[in-house]
């Protein structure tokens, strides 16, 4: 709510780049924002820090946040927050909530760079570095951010530069492993039930 009160209209070039990317959410600039972010539950908006951006930085930041929107990452974060609020006493839930945020960012980066050339990947990585926030937001702020802390960048930049498209066999083996895990769980569950009834 505090962030939304300080929202201001963005420049024409930001709206133009947003239009090129098919952006259908409102974009604002905000002096309180430390990094580009997608916020809101029912009415989502993109908030940009009140600083100057190059066109490449704008395109990278907006693409990142729009990818979060298309993948409904904010819903996952709100759900994790809801579970965390109920199980506030459980340290594992706090770790899971943090892991959900980390997984959302890595998955979003992968979706953004999957069709990029090496030079474009490097530009995207530089955008992450340039727009990374100096400080984290409080735990109660539910948002998808381009990058909250510079310390979190190493893993993401490494994943970006070493990313390879997953081929057919990788996908096939993943499906086989998932099926094997489900079958094992079902079998062990049935055996456990038989043991109890005996």
């Amino acid at each position: 709510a505090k962030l939304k009160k300080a929202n201001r209209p963005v420049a024409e070039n930001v709206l133009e780049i947003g239009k090129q990317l098919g952006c259908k959410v409102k974009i604002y600039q905000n002096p309180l924002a430390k990094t580009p972010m997608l916020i809101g539950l029912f009415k989502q908006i993109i908030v940009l820090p009140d600083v100057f951006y190059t066109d490449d930085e704008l395109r990278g930041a907006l693409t990142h946040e729009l990818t979060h929107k298309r993948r409904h990452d904010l819903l996952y974060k709100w759900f994790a927050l809801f579970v965390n609020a109920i199980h506030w006493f459980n340290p594992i839930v706090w770790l899971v909530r943090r892991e959900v945020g980390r997984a959302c960012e890595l998955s979003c980066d992968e979706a953004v760079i999957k069709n990029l050339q090496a030079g474009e990947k490097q530009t995207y990585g530089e955008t992450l570095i340039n727009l990374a926030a100096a400080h984290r937001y409080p735990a109660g702020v539910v948002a998808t951010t381009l990058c909250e802390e510079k310390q979190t960048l190493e893993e993401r930049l490494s994943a970006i530069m070493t990313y390879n498209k997953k081929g057919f066999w990788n996908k096939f083996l993943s499906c086989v492993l998932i099926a094997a895990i489900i079958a094992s769980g079902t079998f062990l569950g049935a055996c456990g039930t038989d043991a109890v009834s005996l």
Side-chain angles (χ1 to χ4, degrees):
K2 187 177 179 182
L3 276 169
K4 285 183 178 179
K5 286 179 183 176
N7 282 341
R8 297 204 297 247
V10 293
E12 283 298 321
N13 68 315
V14 179
L15 293 176
E16 184 59 35
I17 290 174
K19 195 179 293 184
Q20 292 170 10
L21 296 172
C23 180
K24 293 180 180 173
V25 296
K26 291 188 176 179
I27 308 171
Y28 296 96
Q29 281 189 311
N30 194 311
L32 300 179
K34 298 178 177 69
T35 181
M37 62 175 71
L38 177 72
I39 61 172
L41 181 56
F42 300 111
K43 191 177 180 182
Q44 296 176 352
I45 60 172
I46 294 175
V47 179
L48 303 172
D50 198 5
V51 296
F52 173 78
Y53 297 98
T54 66
D55 284 353
D56 283 341
E57 287 174 340
L58 273 173
R59 195 167 281 106
L62 292 176
T63 301
H64 182 93
E65 299 309 330
L66 289 171
T67 302
H68 275 307
K69 178 167 175 53
R70 281 193 294 271
R71 296 163 69 92
H72 309 293
D73 286 344
L74 267 181
L75 292 179
Y76 300 131
K77 287 196 166 191
W78 276 106
F79 178 72
L81 177 65
F82 175 73
V83 173
N84 195 188
I86 294 172
H87 292 271
W88 56 269
F89 51 85
N90 188 341
I92 293 175
V93 175
W94 288 88
L95 292 174
V96 168
R97 181 182 166 197
R98 184 173 180 178
E99 185 61 22
V100 165
R102 176 184 157 277
C104 282
E105 294 306 323
L106 286 171
S107 177
C108 181
D109 287 339
E110 183 177 319
V112 170
I113 66 172
K114 67 181 178 182
N115 296 317
L116 299 184
Q117 302 301 319
E120 293 171 318
K121 288 182 189 178
Q122 184 171 347
T123 300
Y124 181 72
E126 289 169 356
T127 299
L128 288 181
I129 293 170
N130 293 339
L131 303 184
H135 307 286
R136 286 178 60 83
Y137 283 97
V141 176
V142 180
T144 60
T145 57
L146 184 69
C147 190
E148 281 198 358
E149 294 179 298
K150 289 186 186 291
Q151 292 91 328
T152 64
L153 282 174
E154 185 176 347
E155 181 183 12
R156 290 174 66 185
L157 291 174
S158 175
I160 287 168
M161 297 316 292
T162 58
Y163 172 78
N164 290 314
K165 289 185 181 179
K166 295 177 178 62
F168 169 78
W169 288 109
N170 282 344
K171 292 177 183 176
F172 177 75
L173 287 174
S174 297
C175 290
V176 169
L177 284 172
I178 291 169
I181 290 168
I182 291 171
S184 299
T186 304
F187 177 74
L188 291 173
C191 289
T193 304
D194 291 342
V196 170
S197 62
L198 289 173

